[in-house]
Amino acid sequence: MSNGARSAGILVHVTSLPGAYGIGDLGPAARAFVDWLRAARQRWWQVLPLGPAGAGDSPYQCYSAVAGDPRLISPDDLLRDGLATRAEVKELARRDGANNGKANFAAAALKLELVARAAERMEKTKLRRAFEAFREQNAEWLDDYALFMALRERSRGAWQDWPADIVTRKPRALEAARRELAERVAVHQLAQFLFFRQLDALRAYARDRGVRLIGDLPIYVSPDSADVWARPELFLLDRTRRPTAVAGVPPDYFSETGQRWGNPLYDWAAMRRDRFAWWIDRVRATLRQVDLVRVDHFRGFAGYYRIPAHLPTAVGGRWVKAPGPELFQTLQRELTRSRLRRQKGSSGQTSMSAPPKSMLPFIAEDLGVITPDVEKLRDDFGLPGMRVLQFAFGGPGDGRDPFLPHNYVVNTVAYTGTHDNDTTAGWWRSLDAPAKRRVRAYLGDVTDDDVAWTMTRAVWHSVARLAVAPVQDVLGLGAAARMNLPGTGEGNWSWRLRDGQLTRKHAEGLGAMTEAAGRGA
């Protein structure tokens, strides 16, 4: 977004792509979607976090903030690389059953069986040396992550309930576990190698076609993660490694008790002493996966809501100032240094005739109740905020709502809706009569059949530098296609495209709209 060009993109998570193996993956269906984006004149593909999803299959509750989800590995690409047999791939497809528009995460988890068999074949392929190099280059996080996952397979349940010497990471206990679980540790290491190999190939394929990836960085990590287990000193934990305070948001109009998320809070004092090294590594790892990063719950970097862990709800929490300016200054400095080193490595010398780009490759998720300190943090670092058109019609209809397109500023990413919203068609059908009148007063005489397209056109023709719509809105799908309902733990993240559902005709229509709005690729 730094070059100022207007552009557009589509939001759909990798798991929502069609295919034969439980969930969408990084293989042929992903490449076909890139081809569709190119035909539709789109320059961006936005995905949700790509980490190994944990509780409720939520990509926002991952077992690692750095690792990739092995369930996204493509069996077809394993077959191509000689790491799986045709019979094994066919059997996995059979166990998944037909794609009925819902993710089958249990079937997708069986891909680890393919990875285990692939480990036996690595010695006979040209990939062995590349795998060894990957393990060496990523040992700082990979060793802990692979051991953590192997221990989870053996012990089940949250890591705080494992044997005490493993919980507190006694060196002898860890070494014994590594010996005992060496085979499974190797499988999890190989899964990461294969994930990143396939993701790198997909990103190169997309880049060659003018498409870039937008990823997602949740502000907090899961309590049941390798991150908290391996680096407990960076979180507010007691001596048994359980949180003393957790994240959430206070009571508001929508909830009398607020939201108690349960994620452990950071010990920002410890992170300052470490010069934010954990954050630098995490952001670099995220940019290893994508080109631009949506920073979830951005307001938490200005001030976060701290809830004592013993409280059952968010009532009784308090706001605490966060070191966002210091953190982002450090990230900006370190990412600039990394960029200069890459430039020097490619040219043999570093030119300082022009200043390096200083804008962080972030989108600030600045939704909800946003205070002046949050806006200042966003604007001081030149970060684009978000505007969601569905949010624009709940007020008096006097034209002053900041989510109405005529009130957008250029440095904005505008959406019809996000993964946390209902689809636009579903949202429209849920509105009461006064709200529908406000929508029609602004957008014209919309109907159930064309509301998603009309909303997309309004966002596309706004001044926002980047416009994004969920793929469900391109298809005009109703509430049954919703991806997530915040505050609920069941039934989310499972929507999928059916084979052939997204057509050339959809690409042509969206492409024409994109070209007319001056956003064409």
Side-chain angles (χ1 to χ4, degrees), residues 180-481:
E180 178 187 348
L181 301 172
E183 184 174 328
R184 292 304 296 175
V185 167
V187 168
H188 287 287
Q189 290 173 327
L190 178 58
Q192 291 305 301
F193 168 73
L194 296 172
F195 169 89
F196 282 101
R197 172 178 165 78
Q198 292 188 1
L199 179 60
D200 287 346
L202 176 61
R203 288 187 68 192
Y205 186 89
R207 189 163 51 248
D208 289 344
R209 286 152 182 81
V211 175
R212 297 291 190 270
L213 267 63
I214 301 174
D216 201 309
L217 191 149
I219 183 173
Y220 297 117
V221 300
S222 170
D224 188 17
S225 66
D227 310 279
V228 184
W229 176 65
R231 299 296 305 274
E233 72 279 8
L234 299 180
F235 300 87
L236 298 180
L237 309 176
D238 63 20
R239 283 182 289 183
T240 67
R241 301 297 197 263
R242 298 181 186 278
T244 58
V246 297
V249 290
D252 57 19
Y253 175 81
F254 300 100
S255 173
E256 293 182 355
T257 59
Q259 296 181 41
R260 184 189 185 278
W261 297 335
N263 304 80
L265 293 173
Y266 299 115
D267 186 335
W268 284 114
M271 288 187 160
R272 274 195 179 100
R273 290 193 295 271
D274 202 18
R275 298 182 180 179
F276 303 108
W278 183 88
W279 273 103
I280 294 169
D281 291 342
R282 185 186 181 193
V283 170
R284 282 177 174 159
T286 303
L287 291 171
R288 167 85 163 73
Q289 300 180 8
V290 297
D291 302 285
L292 186 61
V293 181
R294 171 189 178 271
V295 181
D296 192 44
H297 196 59
F298 178 80
R299 73 106 47 248
F301 290 104
Y304 60 94
Y305 196 65
R306 175 171 173 161
I307 306 168
H310 68 275
L311 296 180
T313 72
V315 177
R318 62 186 177 91
W319 286 104
V320 180
K321 188 176 181 180
E326 187 179 351
L327 170 63
F328 287 162
Q329 286 170 1
T330 302
L331 289 172
Q332 186 165 270
R333 181 173 61 249
E334 292 302 316
L335 293 179
T336 300
R337 286 175 178 171
S338 297
R339 186 161 49 244
L340 290 174
R341 283 195 294 269
R342 288 195 301 271
Q343 292 171 354
K344 183 177 181 179
S346 61
S347 65
Q349 59 183 359
T350 300
S351 172
M352 294 300 291
S353 58
K357 295 177 182 177
S358 61
M359 182 181 293
L360 290 164
F362 293 162
I363 298 168
E365 188 273 290
D366 55 348
L367 305 175
V369 179
I370 300 303
T371 50
D373 58 334
V374 181
E375 294 177 342
K376 185 176 188 304
L377 179 63
R378 179 198 64 204
D379 295 343
D380 282 352
F381 288 90
L383 305 181
M386 291 176 56
R387 294 294 179 266
V388 179
L389 185 51
Q390 285 188 24
F391 294 164
F393 302 102
D398 59 5
R400 292 185 292 179
D401 192 292
F403 291 101
L404 288 169
H406 69 270
N407 292 322
Y408 296 172
V409 297
V410 171
N411 195 28
T412 294
V413 183
Y415 294 80
T416 54
T418 75
H419 64 279
D420 284 333
N421 292 87
D422 199 347
T423 67
T424 293
W427 164 83
W428 167 257
R429 293 184 178 103
S430 71
L431 294 180
D432 58 22
K436 285 187 175 180
R437 284 196 294 270
R438 288 192 291 272
V439 174
R440 287 185 169 123
Y442 194 83
L443 297 175
D445 191 20
V446 300
T447 67
D448 289 1
D449 293 331
D450 66 12
V451 62
W453 201 248
T454 301
M455 295 269 281
T456 302
R457 183 183 296 111
V459 167
W460 256 234
H461 284 271
S462 74
V463 298
R465 186 172 290 129
L466 173 58
V468 178
V471 73
Q472 293 95 319
D473 287 352
V474 176
L475 295 168
L477 300 179

Side-chain angles (χ1 to χ4, degrees), residues 51-55 61-65 67 145 148-149 152 222 224-227:
Q61 294 290 339
C62 291
Y63 294 127
S64 169
Y145 166 77
F148 177 83
M149 296 305 292
R152 283 197 95 263
S222 170
D224 188 17
S225 66
D227 310 279

